[in-house]
Amino acid sequence: MRKQSLMIFLVISLSIIGAFALYAKPLALSIKQGLDLQGGTHVVLSLSDTADSKVDQDSVDRVKQIIDRRVNELGLTEPLIQQEGANRIIVELPGISDPEKAVALLGKTALLEFRDEAGKVGLTGKDLKNSQAQVNGQQNVIALEFSDEGAKKFEDMTRKNVNRKIGIYLDNELLTDPMVNEAITGGKVVITGQRDLQEAQRIALLLRSGVLPVKVEILEIRTVGPTLGEDSKAKSEKAFTIGIALIFTFMLLFYRASGVVAIIALLLYILLTLGALKLLEATLTLPGIAGVILSVGMAVDANVLIFERFKEELRAGKTLRVAMELGFNRAFSTIVDSNVTTLFAAVVLFFLGTGPIKGFAVTLTVGIIISMFTAITVTKYLLITLIRTNLIKDPRFFGK
């Protein structure tokens, strides 16, 4: 029984330590990083009324969705898009290599119009269903597909303009003005005249992602350089490393063998937290790191509560096994109460907060849930197994 318990304790402990050594850093580096950690571009957009549309909450929400689609189709790091006041939108683009190009796409109106020779508009981008860049022989073209209503409008327009030209304009700039030989049915048309495939893809993206419902202007562009981001990240890593080292030292000095168990459980906690953030595809920011550090403190706090109760039972003359069971039972309700109340606060921050506050709430929530698991389950199991080995019989080695 003793040998079996010792083997179990060593296998679990060494597995956790080995997994932490191998996977902790790669997991941390693979998590998406926010603007404050890797640099990028901060953009403030102002929305204003047009002749057809007024700025209201619905139009603001539509602009946010369109910008999100545009940025994501560019293949950039996941953006942070949030409303500020009644008519402003803040867009943060972490880690982009060409901020000017991305910013130009954010506020582009992408107004597509089909006009006859008299300048009359027959249909617009609102009638568009899809657009894709294609290579047709030696030409780079944009294949358009209209909605059912748009297809009817286009058929009617081409029928009325046989042997005449129809101008296709993007933001009042003529793309092409093909001659109509016959009425075009089916709701599909190809635009030629693009210089290269890259230009065709850019225009197709603007059209496909949607027409902005109101006028959008860029008020502010602020670039966070990678050097500043790296500096913030380096300081965060240093603070985290120093904090963890101090925690480990404290646990060893005050709780000895119990402290060793707590350290192993904390290594598992850090590994599981990083894995959860990676699985959730969370974007890690400085407030998010603060949430992780705070949850580490709560995990340590849970262990301190348990070990202090354990020591009290040892001083009362209980055996190691009985003292440990009673210590966990007495600390359990206090741990659950403190963690659940903090969890409620994190949930409120998530639903009422924006941007970095949500990131803090997410990392704090994940950390609380995992810390409860490691403190109540893993620490208890390892401590029971260690006591069963009967290698340490003197209660003083458990911090008495």
Side-chain angles (χ1 to χ4, degrees):
M1 183 66 179
R2 295 176 183 176
K3 290 184 179 179
Q4 183 180 2
S5 297
L6 178 60
M7 185 63 66
I8 293 172
F9 180 82
L10 290 176
V11 168
I12 294 175
S13 301
L14 293 176
S15 297
I16 292 173
I17 294 170
F20 181 85
L22 289 174
Y23 299 113
K25 188 172 182 178
L27 270 175
L29 294 176
S30 67
I31 297 172
K32 296 176 184 177
Q33 297 174 2
L35 187 72
D36 50 1
L37 290 180
Q38 63 171 318
T41 304
H42 174 95
V43 186
V44 180
L45 303 175
S46 174
L47 281 57
S48 55
D49 299 339
T50 64
D52 300 324
S53 303
K54 301 292 183 182
V55 176
D56 54 18
Q57 190 58 48
D58 179 65
S59 62
V60 173
D61 291 339
R62 287 171 60 194
V63 171
K64 288 170 60 179
Q65 292 174 0
I66 291 168
I67 289 175
D68 184 62
R69 287 200 300 270
R70 289 183 181 182
V71 175
N72 284 331
E73 287 209 45
L74 282 172
L76 302 176
T77 302
E78 186 168 337
L80 171 64
I81 303 172
Q82 59 184 352
Q83 183 175 347
E84 182 183 60
N87 65 336
R88 289 188 180 183
I89 294 176
I90 295 175
V91 184
E92 291 187 349
L93 306 170
I96 62 174
S97 58
D98 191 357
E100 291 184 2
K101 178 181 177 181
V103 169
L105 286 175
L106 293 181
K108 198 73 172 176
T109 58
L111 177 61
L112 179 71
E113 294 178 325
F114 289 75
R115 305 175 187 172
D116 59 21
E117 291 181 346
K120 182 181 178 180
V121 178
L123 69 164
T124 68
K126 293 180 180 179
D127 301 303
L128 191 64
K129 182 179 179 181
N130 193 19
S131 64
Q132 295 290 337
Q134 297 177 355
V135 178
N136 187 358
Q138 299 297 319
Q139 290 186 314
N140 299 294
V141 302
I142 302 172
L144 304 182
E145 181 180 356
F146 296 104
S147 63
D148 292 340
E149 183 179 354
K152 294 176 183 178
K153 290 181 181 180
F154 190 64
E155 180 181 352
D156 181 62
M157 186 178 185
T158 53
R159 193 180 302 280
K160 292 178 180 178
N161 288 277
V162 174
N163 297 322
R164 297 177 184 174
K165 289 185 177 181
I166 290 181
I168 303 175
Y169 293 81
L170 180 68
D171 294 336
N172 293 318
E173 294 182 8
L174 180 66
L175 292 178
T176 183
D177 56 346
M179 180 71 71
V180 179
N181 298 318
E182 59 182 357
I184 301 175
T185 61
K188 294 183 179 180
V189 65
V190 172
I191 301 177
T192 60
Q194 282 65 59
R195 292 189 301 271
D196 50 39
L197 182 59
Q198 185 177 9
E199 181 187 18
Q201 290 172 335
R202 181 183 65 84
I203 296 173
L205 165 61
L206 288 171
L207 300 175
R208 183 169 64 251
S209 61
V211 179
L212 295 172
V214 291
K215 185 178 180 181
V216 176
E217 295 179 320
I218 298 174
L219 285 185
E220 177 190 352
I221 301 174
R222 186 171 72 249
T223 301
V224 179
T227 302
L228 182 60
E230 285 295 326
D231 183 59
S232 299
K233 185 164 61 175
K235 288 180 178 178
S236 300
E237 291 175 354
K238 183 178 180 180
F240 186 79
T241 302
I242 293 174
I244 291 296
L246 290 174
I247 288 171
F248 286 1
T249 303
F250 171 81
M251 298 303 289
L252 288 173
L253 288 176
F254 282 85
Y255 301 108
R256 297 161 193 172
S258 299
V260 172
V261 170
I263 289 172
I264 294 170
L266 282 172
L267 293 179
L268 179 62
Y269 158 79
I270 295 171
L271 196 62
L272 291 177
T273 301
L274 293 174
L277 294 176
K278 173 65 176 177
L279 189 64
L280 292 171
E281 297 184 350
T283 299
L284 193 61
T285 61
L286 286 175
I289 293 175
V292 173
I293 294 174
L294 180 58
S295 61
V296 170
M298 296 192 67
V300 174
D301 180 61
N303 283 315
V304 169
L305 286 172
I306 292 167
F307 296 156
E308 285 298 324
R309 297 294 183 270
F310 182 24
K311 287 165 63 176
E312 287 176 4
E313 298 300 330
L314 288 175
R315 293 191 191 105
K318 305 290 195 306
T319 63
L320 287 176
R321 178 65 183 272
V322 173
M324 187 274 299
E325 291 284 358
L326 291 174
F328 268 88
N329 292 338
R330 289 180 58 191
F332 180 79
S333 60
T334 306
I335 294 170
V336 171
D337 289 345
S338 62
N339 280 274
V340 168
T341 52
T342 307
L343 191 60
F344 284 154
V347 171
V348 171
L349 286 174
F350 178 81
F351 284 104
L352 298 183
T354 58
I357 297 176
K358 280 193 173 184
F360 172 80
V362 169
T363 54
L364 181 59
T365 300
V366 170
I368 289 171
I369 294 171
I370 296 176
S371 69
M372 288 182 67
F373 166 73
T374 54
I376 296 173
T377 305
V378 178
T379 301
K380 183 177 181 180
Y381 182 77
L382 286 175
L383 204 51
I384 289 174
T385 307
L386 179 60
I387 292 172
R388 284 176 177 170
T389 63
N390 210 26
L391 290 176
I392 304 175
K393 299 178 181 179
D394 191 340
R396 288 178 296 179
F397 285 101
F398 289 93
K400 180 180 176 181

